[in-house]
Amino acid sequence: VPRVLSGIQPTAGSFHLGNYLGAVRQWVALQESHDAFYMVVDLHAITVPQDPAELRANTRLAVAQLLAAGLDPERCTLFVQSHVPEHAQLAWIMNCLTGFGEAARMTQFKDKSAKQGADRASVGLFTYPILQVADILLYQANEVPVGEDQRQHIELTRDLAERFNGRFGATFTVPEPYILKETAKIYDLQDPSIKMSKSASTPKGLVNLLDDPKTTAKKVRSAVTDTDTVIRFDAEHKPGVSNLLTIYSTLTGAGIGALEEKYEGKGYGALKTDLAEVMVEFVTPFRERTQQYLDDPETLDSVLAKGAEKARAVAAETLAHTYERVGFLPAK
Ligand code: AQP
């Protein structure tokens, strides 16, 4: 059975619609067909300053949301990254294999450090993609379900896996990105030229799944479209409308063509009102389920304990093999 691995940061509290449609939704589907490993990446979270109590609470909240979204601990391995020390251990080896210039070319680092001021960005933020390489290679993942913004990091993972294998002998599976064309990039509702993101979007442009459903409906109804009136998918010329059609289609299963037909001769208002309703129907039970998992910390803890145990079994084997390849003297 092919293996998938992916992770999500616990930093923002609520997942946003881009996280869900771009990544988590695929995770849920892939647990049926793949040996699936999913984690909440708290080591990645601390690449920017975090309040300890908030980080802990947000990590639980992330797990609760993943379960609410449909991850089933019987069908996948769900764990918290810091519960598996091998991530940091393999990351060190990968750090030593990566060129400084190679790491400096990562566009996400360039964007994020520019926002913080280059001198304030941590070295951890700089090596973030290399920790991600370790995350993936530890599990010998065949595919990595992520949004488009992660493509460059998967490329780096492939390069480093090949480099290590070439230098030390076949050790790592070289993974492929699993990026669905339709939902690879969900756009900001107020500025459809940028991706919906917790750091770059304004509150009105960002749909948080745990927002009050009324707030969500309002955001959808005030989404920016264009001065044309036709409801048609055209990502280049009509990015706002196309984004709404993508969201609508993915949440309901209706094809884009069918939606274009349904809204022929109707105005943007009708599309937005209906999509607002679709969103409310989606987020309302999601919020309830998330709360139920939060209210049951024992179940949550036991899911994570089991997940960490399963993850560590795989990670420890890969790390031991890697240590041997590198030439570390085995501890007796
Ligand atoms: N707008 C998006 N469209 C499609 N996929 C997206 N992802 C994020 N935004 C979109 C995917 O969500 C997964 C988890 O991402 P993360 O935990 O790394 O969160 P992030 O990338 O930090 O989320 P943001 O909002 O994009 O944060 P900032 O603003 O800090 O960069 C990933 O698979 C990601 O591709």
Side-chain angles (χ1 to χ4, degrees), residues 3-315:
R3 188 172 282 164
V4 289
L5 171 123
S6 197
I8 188 158
Q9 294 199 62
T11 42
S14 176
F15 294 169
H16 62 69
L17 193 61
N19 297 142
Y20 177 70
L21 295 181
V24 174
R25 199 168 169 276
Q26 280 64 262
W27 300 8
V28 175
L30 288 166
Q31 66 183 345
E32 306 300 336
S33 50
H34 287 65
D35 183 16
F37 287 76
Y38 302 125
M39 59 183 172
V40 176
V41 291
D42 51 353
L43 299 182
H44 286 279
I46 64 161
T47 55
V48 296
Q50 300 294 333
D51 173 78
E54 256 175 53
L55 178 60
R56 217 163 359 250
N58 282 337
T59 301
R60 301 189 85 90
L61 182 57
V63 176
Q65 289 176 89
L66 289 173
L67 294 168
L71 289 190
D72 174 356
E74 301 293 319
R75 292 194 168 79
C76 69
T77 303
L78 175 58
F79 64 102
V80 171
Q81 188 184 26
S82 65
H83 294 177
V84 183
E86 285 82 358
H87 289 259
Q89 293 174 291
L90 184 61
W92 178 252
I93 295 175
M94 292 298 146
N95 271 316
C96 297
L97 212 70
T98 309
F100 194 86
E102 189 176 29
R105 280 196 295 276
M106 295 296 120
T107 54
Q108 195 183 66
F109 171 74
K110 285 198 251 180
D111 293 348
K112 291 196 174 178
S113 60
K115 248 177 257 158
Q116 288 186 33
D119 288 343
R120 306 230 324 261
S122 69
V123 175
L125 188 67
F126 184 68
T127 64
Y128 180 122
I130 303 163
L131 176 58
Q132 205 178 317
V133 168
D135 296 340
I136 298 166
L137 297 185
L138 262 184
Y139 297 92
Q140 309 283 7
N142 303 93
E143 287 176 292
V144 187
V146 285
E148 181 62 37
D149 57 340
Q150 294 298 325
R151 188 182 290 280
Q152 195 186 28
H153 294 165
I154 313 297
E155 262 318 304
L156 178 69
T157 308
R158 294 173 53 84
D159 289 348
L160 287 172
E162 278 164 2
R163 189 171 309 158
F164 189 100
N165 290 347
R167 202 171 293 174
F168 300 103
T171 307
F172 297 115
T173 302
V174 181
E176 300 280 345
Y178 180 95
I179 301 175
L180 290 191
K181 196 164 86 254
E182 297 76 17
T183 51
K185 196 168 175 183
I186 300 298
Y187 295 88
D188 182 298
L189 292 189
Q190 285 298 311
D191 178 359
S193 70
I194 62 168
K195 74 159 190 164
M196 185 179 287
S197 122
K198 63 176 182 281
S199 59
S201 291
T202 58
K204 279 182 77 184
L206 177 71
V207 176
N208 280 316
L209 299 187
L210 297 179
D211 277 349
D212 174 353
K214 282 197 196 111
T215 308
T216 300
K218 206 162 145 196
K219 286 182 188 178
V220 174
R221 284 196 303 265
S222 52
V224 164
T225 45
D226 52 52
T227 54
D228 185 33
T229 53
V230 187
I231 295 174
R232 177 169 52 83
F233 188 93
D234 178 347
E236 195 184 335
H237 301 106
K238 299 170 71 64
V241 173
S242 301
N243 191 39
L244 296 180
L245 286 171
T246 298
I247 296 168
Y248 198 145
S249 160
T250 315
L251 287 178
T252 60
I256 298 275
L259 290 174
E260 286 173 336
E261 249 172 62
K262 179 172 174 190
Y263 288 99
E264 207 183 318
K266 294 192 182 152
Y268 291 162
L271 172 69
K272 290 189 206 174
T273 305
D274 290 355
L275 178 57
E277 227 170 87
V278 166
M279 282 294 307
V280 168
E281 269 169 41
F282 171 71
V283 295
T284 304
F286 176 82
R287 280 170 48 124
E288 285 167 11
R289 284 196 300 268
T290 300
Q291 193 54 51
Q292 282 164 10
Y293 286 112
L294 282 179
D295 290 342
D296 183 4
E298 275 146 43
T299 302
L300 214 118
D301 286 342
S302 100
V303 164
L304 292 180
K306 253 187 252 159
E309 196 186 319
K310 273 159 71 189
R312 277 200 80 171
V314 178

